[in-house]
Amino acid sequence: MELAYIPSPSRGVIHLGPIPLRGYAFCIIIGVFVAVWLGNRRWVARGGRAGTVADIAVWAVPFGLIGGRLYHVITDYELYFSEGRDWVDAFKIWEGGLGIWGAIALGAVGAWIGCRRRGIPLPAYADAVAPGIALAQALGRWGNWFNQELYGRRTDVPWALEITSSTDGRVPGLYHPTFLYESLWCIGVALLVIWADRRFKMGHGRAFALYVAAYCAGRFWVEYMRVDDAHHILGLRLNNWTALLVFLLAVVYIVVSAKKRPGREAVVEPGAADDDSGAASADKKAESDAATTEDEKTSEADDEAKPESGVKPESDAADDEARSEAEDAKEPRDEAESARKG
């Protein structure tokens, strides 16, 4: 009896009435939201507009899903087009089967279209979203857990994954949870890119290239542990060769780009700086108007406190009246004194 292991879900879908809620799809959707959220924060910090990342993701995400599915179907065509298989299953993306290589390649095409429509350099956008893509992959790998797929060799480690399904040639037992290994690796890749970008001010696509290289390094050893059917070339799985090739290309890009275009883009989104300046000017104008209004109110209060022109205060009027009465009383006395003397 095993004392510890990671259990697999008894099923990967829950039906809410006629609506199926699939764990695999939820993992993909949550990953996309996280990638857009983090990418937006990084894009704004680089001087771009809020919301631009999401607008371009409208192009990149559908292209990425199509590309990921195409890569999977092409490299595992026997699952859909061999004898006894139904080719319609190639369109059932919710059942699993997305190749990250195709997703990134075709997703980049979609991102390029979105960037071109807004006059934004694709490398700057790629740098901003790179850590978010790694986190999206980390979340998306849990979709394999729901589908009980892409696990590693048999093992008796305490964190072994229990496979209970026997469909599609699976053999129930305890295996290495390669989905978990890759998920944790992707989280590490995201943190690495964020740190390196802050430390070295990476630009012109080098942060994205670092993500690609770091992911490929981890994918190589994770892929080597898997036991699911795959095409082999010279003793290595196809995805091992793909990871190795893409890793080398990413490293070469980092080196060449650093020499040709050192530093980071000064402007990542045309007009964004003007918007910020306009907003700052509007704030200053509002503050100035508020100060002017306050001065006017103070002046009006002072004017109300002063007596109107030609109107004497009540105390001065009383003094004048007293002096007038004294002069009236003095006049008869003066007349009497004059008559006596005469």
Side-chain angles (χ1 to χ4, degrees):
M1 179 180 179
E2 300 293 337
L3 297 179
Y5 57 84
I6 301 174
S8 291
S10 58
R11 54 182 177 173
V13 57
I14 299 176
H15 286 84
L16 186 62
I19 303 175
L21 304 178
R22 302 181 184 278
Y24 187 90
F26 267 111
C27 292
I28 298 297
I29 293 172
I30 294 172
V32 170
F33 274 105
V34 170
V36 171
W37 169 78
L38 181 57
N40 181 72
R41 288 176 60 90
R42 288 172 52 81
W43 184 252
V44 172
R46 288 284 302 273
R49 293 188 181 95
T52 296
V53 169
D55 292 342
I56 297 176
V58 171
W59 290 90
V61 172
F63 273 73
L65 291 175
I66 294 173
R69 189 61 175 178
L70 283 175
Y71 181 89
H72 169 72
V73 172
I74 292 172
T75 56
D76 291 306
Y77 62 88
E78 67 278 357
L79 298 177
Y80 307 100
F81 302 105
S82 60
E83 185 177 355
R85 299 283 185 170
D86 186 357
W87 63 271
V88 176
D89 292 341
F91 297 94
K92 297 180 180 179
I93 191 173
W94 55 87
E95 293 183 354
L98 289 174
I100 186 62
W101 316 111
I104 294 297
L106 209 54
V109 174
W112 176 79
I113 294 174
C115 287
R116 185 176 178 81
R117 289 168 59 90
R118 304 194 59 149
I120 292 172
L122 177 61
Y125 179 84
D127 285 341
V129 300
I133 294 176
L135 291 180
Q137 289 179 254
L139 292 167
R141 275 305 169 202
W142 285 85
N144 302 135
W145 177 61
F146 280 101
N147 287 351
Q148 297 196 38
E149 61 185 1
L150 304 185
Y151 43 86
R153 305 187 193 95
R154 284 185 175 272
T155 183
D156 57 357
V157 296
W159 57 87
L161 173 66
E162 181 190 33
I163 296 298
T164 58
S165 174
S166 57
T167 59
D168 294 330
R170 298 184 181 93
V171 178
L174 298 177
Y175 298 86
H176 276 288
T178 50
F179 83 91
L180 178 60
Y181 299 159
E182 188 169 338
S183 179
L184 295 176
W185 182 268
C186 287
I187 293 174
V189 170
L191 296 176
L192 171 65
V193 174
I194 292 173
W195 170 82
D197 194 26
R198 290 178 178 176
R199 175 67 177 81
F200 302 106
K201 303 297 181 184
M202 306 180 79
H204 302 286
R206 289 188 289 275
F208 184 81
L210 175 61
Y211 144 72
V212 172
Y215 171 74
C216 289
R219 178 61 184 266
F220 187 90
W221 66 267
V222 170
E223 187 74 24
Y224 190 75
M225 297 180 66
R226 288 180 175 168
V227 294
D228 52 296
D229 292 334
H231 297 285
H232 286 72
I233 301 175
L234 299 177
L236 287 179
R237 293 163 65 93
L238 174 61
N239 283 330
N240 281 117
W241 287 107
T242 304
L244 181 59
L245 175 62
V246 175
F247 171 83
L248 294 175
L249 292 175
V251 171
V252 170
Y253 179 87
I254 293 174
V255 174
V256 174
S257 175
K259 290 182 178 180
K260 288 189 173 182
R261 307 187 70 181
R264 173 184 282 182
E265 298 91 341
V267 178
V268 296
E269 185 169 4
D274 296 337
D275 292 346
D276 293 340
S277 300
S281 299
D283 292 340
K284 290 181 179 179
K285 185 177 184 302
E287 292 177 359
S288 177
D289 293 343
T292 302
T293 302
E294 187 65 26
D295 292 341
E296 291 176 352
K297 290 181 179 179
T298 303
S299 178
E300 291 176 359
D302 293 341
D303 292 342
E304 291 177 358
K306 295 179 180 179
E308 296 181 3
S309 178
V311 179
K312 295 182 178 180
E314 293 181 359
S315 59
D316 294 343
D319 293 342
D320 291 346
E321 185 177 353
R323 283 195 297 271
S324 178
E325 291 177 354
E327 290 176 357
D328 292 342
K330 182 180 178 183
E331 287 180 0
R333 288 198 299 273
D334 291 343
E335 291 177 358
E337 184 67 23
S338 178
R340 189 170 57 255
K341 290 179 177 180

